[in-house]
Amino acid sequence: MVPGFVQLGLIALLFQLAVIGGFYGYLRYRHPVGDSMARRRVLKVLAGGVCLLAIGQAAAIGSVGSLWVSPLLSFEQALLIKDAGLLLTLVGYIVVFAGVVIHSRTSVS
């Protein structure tokens, strides 16, 4: 059993992924990309960013949450993993933003 803040954090992560997916769906509907290669490139960039931010947030939440359940990590190790997860999350959001920018530059006007 995991602590409640880990469960709440994972629900927040799923909500963030749903918002990103909904925003990209709206963007794809309102401003379609004509070239299939450009569309594939945008999807790869967005999927990579979403994977990075999901892994980063799950690692950050899980490392601190693991201290409550069974302390496999020391406190310093858990904080180091949390910081690395937050950095990975930041990089993921930057990549998602880059995917949206690529989409907007290649969309048919």
Side-chain angles (χ1 to χ4, degrees), residues 23-63:
F23 180 71
Y24 177 67
Y26 172 76
L27 207 69
R28 191 172 174 182
Y29 172 72
R30 294 292 289 170
H31 306 285
V33 175
D35 187 22
S36 66
M37 292 298 287
R39 188 178 318 118
R40 192 172 304 134
R41 184 176 60 232
V42 168
L43 280 174
K44 283 183 182 181
V45 170
L46 281 174
V50 165
C51 287
L52 285 176
L53 74 93
I55 290 170
Q57 281 187 357
I61 293 169
S63 68

Side-chain angles (χ1 to χ4, degrees), residues 7 41 81 101:
Q7 292 175 350
R41 184 176 60 232
I81 292 174
V101 169

Side-chain angles (χ1 to χ4, degrees), residues 1-36:
M1 174 129 171
V2 295
F5 72 90
V6 173
Q7 292 175 350
L8 186 64
L10 292 177
I11 290 172
L13 173 64
L14 290 175
F15 179 73
Q16 290 172 18
L17 295 178
V19 167
I20 291 171
F23 180 71
Y24 177 67
Y26 172 76
L27 207 69
R28 191 172 174 182
Y29 172 72
R30 294 292 289 170
H31 306 285
V33 175
D35 187 22
S36 66

Side-chain angles (χ1 to χ4, degrees), residues 38 100 106:
V100 170
T106 59

Side-chain angles (χ1 to χ4, degrees), residues 79-94:
L79 289 180
L80 182 67
I81 292 174
K82 178 192 67 84
D83 292 340
L86 291 177
L87 181 65
L88 192 62
T89 301
L90 178 66
V91 169
Y93 274 116
I94 290 170

